[in-house]
Amino acid sequence: MKKLAAGNWKMNGTQASLAEVTALLEAHPDPACEMLLCPPATLIAAMAALARGTALMVGAQDCHPKPMGAHTGDISAAMLRDAGATHVIVGHSERRIDHGETSALVKAKAEAVVDAGLTAIVCIGETEAERDSGKTLAVIGTQLDASIPGGATAANLVVAYEPVWAIGTGRTPTLTEIAEVHSFLRGRLRGLIGAEAEGVRILYGGSVKPTNASDIFAVPHVDGALVGGASLKAADFGAIVAALSAA
Ligand code: PEP
């Protein structure tokens, strides 16, 4: 299995930000891991043009569950593919919380991604209150069961474990806590999709930085990272790519 360093630019970036992509590709033209950036939808086509013929893949941060129709402001998975995306993040906690997205909707979006021939990055994660009350595994197990697409395979599904309280806070779970969750998720995936589970990348996300990346990547069943803030700067994301390549 090739590991995956995925960056989520969230609602950040304009055409000028593409200079970071040029710098990233200059510094890391041929990493040993897969490298993906998910810019805002407005930058997908331009970033994909820049990435053509390079090791960089380009993804999106969300999609509509339907392939087309009267859905003002929304974008379908097929449209994202047409713009050059190969992956789509679905169920990020900022969408689950800010937009009230349920696991049922996340699953419908993930299935739309797969139907469009793309790879779904399905995000799950507990809140701080859920962790403090000992419910982490129950919460993420339920989210996983209800969010992954039917017909999931190692090729069309990536799972991102992102504790809500670790996103953008500079706080992370301990390495033991990350190990517990990732091993639990591998087992849960085996129950859901059988042998395909061995090849599904399970990413850790939440305050991954150049300074903690190597330690996190040494944890069993951590197959890469979903990186927010640190993916905006080529130097930081490149250092994370290098750490994953060396893991
Ligand atoms: C994220 O939002 O997916 C994320 C992991 O953010 P950050 O790396 O900034 O914590």
Side-chain angles (χ1 to χ4, degrees):
M1 170 209 294
K2 230 179 175 188
K3 298 188 176 180
L4 172 64
N8 173 10
W9 279 16
K10 308 191 183 187
M11 198 171 72
N12 297 292
T14 58
Q15 300 290 328
S17 316
L18 295 173
E20 294 295 328
V21 178
T22 305
L24 177 70
L25 287 169
E26 273 170 18
H28 301 277
D30 191 19
C33 66
E34 289 188 355
M35 189 164 64
L36 169 76
L37 282 175
C38 302
T42 48
L43 288 179
I44 290 173
M47 192 184 285
L50 204 54
R52 195 160 299 130
T54 76
L56 180 68
M57 300 179 292
V58 178
Q61 301 171 15
D62 182 43
C63 69
H64 193 276
K66 295 262 168 60
M68 67 193 70
H71 303 287
T72 302
D74 281 314
I75 305 177
S76 74
M79 291 168 174
L80 295 169
R81 186 186 57 193
D82 186 54
T86 53
H87 295 64
V88 184
I89 298 169
V90 292
H92 191 282
S93 60
E94 285 154 15
R95 295 214 56 93
R96 288 182 188 260
I97 294 166
D98 298 352
H99 300 267
E101 293 194 3
T102 61
S103 289
L105 178 59
V106 173
K107 178 181 173 130
K109 290 183 174 196
E111 290 182 340
V113 172
V114 170
D115 287 349
L118 305 179
T119 297
I121 302 178
V122 174
C123 301
I124 55 176
E126 82 286 0
T127 63
E128 187 156 31
E130 287 162 345
R131 176 162 283 277
D132 289 347
S133 54
K135 293 189 190 134
T136 297
L137 298 185
V139 166
I140 61 170
T142 303
Q143 284 181 346
L144 185 78
D145 295 355
S147 302
I148 68 165
T153 66
N156 66 26
L157 174 67
V158 172
V159 172
Y161 166 56
E162 300 207 302
V164 177
W165 53 272
I167 292 178
T169 60
R171 297 165 58 209
T172 58
T174 65
L175 298 177
T176 307
E177 287 167 339
I178 294 174
E180 179 189 35
V181 169
H182 279 243
S183 145
F184 168 81
L185 288 172
R186 183 76 64 204
R188 193 87 169 202
L189 279 170
R190 283 186 192 116
L192 291 167
I193 60 171
E196 281 294 318
E198 307 311 325
V200 172
R201 270 79 61 86
I202 306 177
L203 311 183
Y204 169 77
S207 296
V208 176
K209 311 273 178 226
T211 45
N212 62 15
S214 293
D215 287 344
I216 292 171
F217 295 152
V219 173
H221 300 293
V222 172
D223 308 314
L226 182 53
V227 183
S231 72
L232 292 168
K233 290 279 163 230
D236 289 346
F237 191 59
I240 293 167
V241 166
L244 186 58
S245 295

